[in-house]
Structure formats: structure tokens, C-alpha cells
Amino acid sequence: MPTVSIVSLGCARNEVDSEELAATFASEGFDLLPASAEADVVVVNTCGFIEAAKSESIDEILSASGATRSGKKPVVVAAGCMAQRYGQELAASLPEADAVIGFDGYDSIADTVRRILAGGSVPAHEPGDRRRLLPLTPVDRPTAQATPPWATTQRRRLTSAPSAPLKIASGCDRRCAFCAIPSFRGSFRSRLPQDIRSEALWLASQSVKELFLVSENTTSYGKDLPDTDLETVLSDLSRIDHIEWIRLSYLQPAELKPSVIHAIASTRKVVPYFDLPFQHASATVLRRMRRFGDAQSFLDLLERVRTEAPDAGIRTNVIVGFPGETEEDVDLLKQFLGEARLDAVGVFPYSDEEGTEGASLDRHLDEAEISARASDVASFADTVTSMRAEERVGEEVAVLIESVEEDQFVGRSEQQGPEDARSYIQGVSAATSRLKVGQIVEGTVVDTVGVDWYIGL
């Protein structure tokens, strides 16, 4: 039985793809090994979002090609967004990858690998603009492709974590000037509610306690399906036994309806967490980014969120150094971050992405200036998010225990998303306590360090 390991890079959406690939390999007679193990086949599920992610993907491919199993080099397969985006170009520049496979090759990936194991070769994926695969009008899409490749409910978990991502849609119709994702992920396509529920039930049977709903644009869910909306899906998922928390990712500020804010704040099991990628606060920069809003409209949105959910956890991402950004724009962004009282802020230095409008804009900044501005904003963001964490001291919170580290239980509160921050349970020995990973406990925030919380039970 040939062995295969899967290395998953990038976002939670990629994690779902990796588990679907794992299920495909298992059903085809492959023996799955952990990502760190030496296997006959190593699949690197790459990320192609920004330069740092692409570099990490290349490093993983090179590392995998240098490993050996009983003195034999493994078959290395590049899959995921970078493979989909660059295809033949990636194969030509990185011969260490024995195959470069796009999304449409996932169903036959086991046969592809067998062919290579037998000494054969396969042509590299030929990339194209996936936005052309579906009609321009969302309402015409349900009949255009009855079963999209990513709609499978076949999945095999690669971890035993009590939280799991659940894909509810794929693709994006927005045309942000800095982002190439729509070109290789395709136009927006909602997943059918019954398929979402089916997979959620399966995840519940796998001891999952938290569903992390993921997509490229969660607030667009349902626009291409008649009589379907995000609020109804949340209500349906909240009735599934053994699922305790439901968390949403990537809520576009310009599309966040009052009814969705209310649903998040009031639907049983849906945690008060808002992932709002503002990207900037300067109206001038946002328009050049092909985005909507400004500092004041974003502050107004945050006020509406906190009116519905006073204890909400709120995170954002911002891009610093976009072409045409001035020092005044940076000052405005910092002023906004200071007033917004956000729990988590991701700061990204701008880099050109091939095929995007941003790459062709005038008034590019040099890399040193972009780096300096990003460092400045990141430092300021660390300060304001630490101050926000300190405001939480004394709050009563619920925490999902996710791991044990040095005899201490570690998890996340309802207000903390994956990779945002951590909560450490104080005064309890993991060696003697009856608490366990996957349990939700009630406690009080007694101290903070940076964005991390310390919880007393």
C-alpha cells in the first residue's frame, strides 16, 4: 500500500481541500501518514496569496523533494492555489515537483500519482481565468454546473482538533485591485444548504465542537441560490447536536447587512465574532483598491455591531504601502485603529500580484518604505490590541480547550478566532484535572499579555 502525506499551507479553506484530498487517497487504497512523516508521496497544498506565502510553498516543495523513504526520493505533488495559478510556469521553474495539479485534477489525483510511481509522467496543469467558467450573473450559476468539484462532502480529518473549518462557498466576484484570488479560485458560488448541513453532521460525529465557516466572501452567501440566505443556514446549523460553537470568517464590511449582524448576535451557538477585513481606513486609498468605505463609516459599522453584541470579538486585516498611499493616509489608518478598539489586527505590506490592477497603478512606493510603514502600523496595532485585551479583564467568558501545553490547558474564547489569540486556564493542573481537550469552560479574564488572555475558573 503506497503511503502519502499532505502538507497544508495557507488559510482554513486550504485545510478543507487537504482533508478532501486525504479522503480521495484513502478511498483509493493509499495509507495516510502525518505531514511530518516520510512517505512515498508528499502532496504540498500550496498557497498563492502573497509573496511570503508563495515563498513558503516553494520551500516546502524543496524540503519534500529532499526527503527520503528507505533511501528513495518521494513523489512530490504541488497542488493548491499556487499550482492552480501558475501551473506550467511553476513546473518549469521547479523541477523538484513531479506533478503540478490544478483544482480540476483533484478527482483523479490518485491515478495521477500511481502513474508517476510506475515511472510515468503527467503534463502540468494549464492555468486559466476560472471566472470564465460560470455565468457573469450569479442567479444563472446554479444550472451552469450541477456539481462543482469542490462541493464534495467526502472528507477525512487530518487532525483531532475540536474546531474544524467548513466551506460554505468558493470564489469571489469582487475585483479588489490588490487581489488575484478570483482569477484562480473563480467566481462566487454558494454551496447548497443541504450539503453544508451534511458535512456539519459528519464533523459533529468526529467530535468537532466548533464549526468555522469559511469562504472567500462569506457575506455573499446565497446570492446565487433562490430562497437561500446566510441567516437561515446559521439557524439550521445551530440545531445540530454536539456542535457548540459556530464562527464566521471573512465578512465583507460593504456587504454586512443588519440582518446578518443580528443573526450572529442572536442565533444560539453562533459566537459573537466579526472578521471584518477593512484593508485600510483612507477613502482615497480604498477607492484605488476598488474598495468601499472610509474611517467614519467603519466606525459606524463597529458601533452597530457592538450595539447588537456588546462583548463581540472583532478582527481586521489592513494592507500598508498600496500605490499612492501617503504618510497622511498612514496617519489616518493609525487614528482609525486607535479608535476602533479591535481585538486582532493583521498588517500586510503591499506587494504586486501578477494580473491585478494594483500592479499597473502609478505612484508605487519602494520596498524599504513599504516595509517601514508596515512595521510602524504593526507596532501600533500591537499596542492598541493589547490595550483592548486589558479592557477585557473582569469579563466572564467561555473558552474552548484546544490543547495542553506544559501542564496547562490552552484554548480560545468565543471572541478569539483561530490564530487571533489564545486563552490560558489558570490554577488548574492538566495532569490532575478532569477537564479535557474539546470541553468548553466558563471563567473570568484575570490577566492579559499582549492579545492573550489568562482565565480563572
Side-chain angles (χ1 to χ4, degrees):
M1 182 180 292
T3 58
V4 59
S5 66
I6 299 175
V7 179
S8 190
L9 305 175
C11 64
R13 297 180 291 279
N14 255 19
E15 291 181 36
V16 179
D17 291 346
S18 292
E19 294 192 348
E20 291 175 352
L21 287 171
T24 298
F25 278 113
S27 68
E28 292 288 337
F30 285 74
D31 186 15
L32 291 168
L33 298 181
S36 59
E38 294 180 354
D40 299 317
V41 181
V42 179
V43 178
V44 181
N45 190 0
T46 61
C47 178
F49 180 43
I50 56 177
E51 284 302 320
K54 288 184 250 184
S55 296
E56 182 185 14
S57 296
I58 291 172
D59 289 345
E60 284 291 345
I61 292 170
L62 294 175
S63 175
S65 69
T68 59
R69 179 176 170 84
S70 301
K72 183 179 179 182
K73 174 185 174 299
V75 168
V76 179
V77 177
C81 292
M82 192 174 179
Q84 174 68 36
R85 184 177 180 184
Y86 295 104
Q88 296 163 331
E89 180 184 346
L90 179 64
S93 61
L94 204 63
E96 290 83 358
D98 298 287
V100 176
I101 297 177
F103 301 144
D104 293 331
Y106 284 7
D107 288 346
S108 58
I109 192 171
D111 290 336
T112 298
V113 167
R114 284 198 184 94
R115 193 176 308 131
I116 297 172
L117 285 170
S121 61
V122 294
H125 160 69
E126 184 175 347
D129 192 335
R130 291 183 68 82
R131 291 172 293 192
R132 300 174 181 173
L133 299 179
L134 291 172
L136 181 63
T137 306
V139 294
D140 292 334
R141 293 173 190 169
T143 58
Q145 190 179 3
T147 308
W150 50 266
T152 177
T153 56
Q154 185 184 39
R155 183 172 169 183
R156 178 161 175 162
R157 296 208 73 199
L158 294 174
T159 75
S160 58
S163 177
L166 173 58
K167 192 185 298 184
I168 66 169
S170 185
C172 183
D173 290 337
R174 303 187 72 87
R175 295 297 180 263
C176 301
F178 53 81
C179 183
I181 288 176
S183 66
F184 57 85
R185 277 288 185 181
S187 297
F188 185 86
R189 183 76 187 274
S190 299
R191 196 172 179 191
L192 295 175
Q194 56 266 36
D195 291 338
I196 295 172
R197 177 178 174 79
S198 175
E199 189 163 323
L201 287 167
W202 176 78
L203 288 169
S205 74
Q206 301 295 303
S207 300
V208 168
K209 299 300 181 184
E210 177 187 41
L211 299 177
F212 186 38
L213 307 189
V214 298
S215 74
E216 280 75 21
N217 184 0
T218 301
T219 35
S220 280
Y221 181 82
K223 72 176 186 179
D224 53 337
L225 296 176
D227 304 318
T228 303
D229 57 36
L230 184 59
E231 299 92 314
T232 303
V233 168
L234 293 177
S235 178
D236 185 38
L237 294 178
S238 72
R239 292 191 288 270
I240 295 178
D241 291 339
H242 307 301
I243 296 297
E244 301 296 335
W245 286 2
I246 301 166
R247 185 181 304 274
L248 284 78
S249 71
Y250 224 75
L251 303 167
Q252 282 289 348
E255 299 180 17
L256 186 56
K257 300 182 296 183
S259 60
V260 173
I261 296 175
H262 180 71
I264 295 173
S266 62
T267 304
R268 188 173 64 94
K269 297 184 181 181
V270 178
V271 298
Y273 176 80
F274 292 80
D275 176 12
L276 301 168
F278 293 123
Q279 305 301 2
H280 212 282
S282 164
T284 303
V285 174
L286 286 165
R287 296 306 173 272
R288 285 174 66 85
M289 287 179 168
R290 300 291 184 187
R291 303 278 295 189
F292 297 93
D294 53 38
Q296 188 56 55
S297 66
F298 293 159
L299 290 173
D300 292 343
L301 174 59
L302 293 174
E303 183 178 356
R304 290 196 295 273
V305 166
R306 290 181 171 125
T307 297
E308 291 272 6
D311 62 341
I314 305 174
R315 71 152 291 129
T316 196
N317 293 327
V318 297
I319 297 173
V320 180
F322 191 78
E325 180 191 69
T326 65
E327 292 183 2
E328 289 75 16
D329 293 324
V330 176
D331 289 341
L332 194 155
L333 173 59
K334 290 168 65 177
Q335 180 182 343
F336 165 73
L337 294 176
E339 297 177 15
R341 296 173 56 241
L342 301 171
D343 295 271
V345 178
V347 179
F348 296 89
Y350 172 78
S351 61
D352 282 338
E353 291 296 318
E354 301 95 325
T356 64
E357 182 181 355
S360 63
L361 289 176
D362 61 354
R363 293 188 288 156
H364 269 62
L365 304 174
D366 62 52
E367 291 187 9
E369 179 64 20
I370 293 174
S371 178
R373 290 186 183 187
S375 178
D376 176 43
V377 173
S379 177
F380 184 79
D382 287 344
T383 298
V384 295
T385 52
S386 295
M387 292 172 60
R388 174 59 179 145
E390 290 175 4
E391 294 178 8
R392 298 283 190 178
V393 173
E395 288 188 14
E396 295 183 359
V397 296
V399 175
L400 172 64
I401 298 176
E402 294 187 294
S403 63
V404 175
E405 299 178 10
E406 298 180 353
D407 197 37
Q408 187 172 36
F409 290 110
V410 184
R412 288 179 294 108
S413 74
E414 293 177 302
Q415 294 81 6
Q416 295 171 319
E419 301 181 1
D420 284 352
R422 314 179 86 190
S423 287
Y424 296 86
I425 307 301
Q426 297 291 91
V428 176
S429 168
T432 58
S433 173
R434 293 185 179 180
L435 298 179
K436 59 183 180 180
V437 171
Q439 187 173 346
I440 295 175
V441 297
E442 304 285 339
T444 303
V445 182
V446 296
D447 197 7
T448 63
V449 174
V451 295
D452 295 332
W453 301 358
Y454 290 82
I455 311 297
L457 302 185

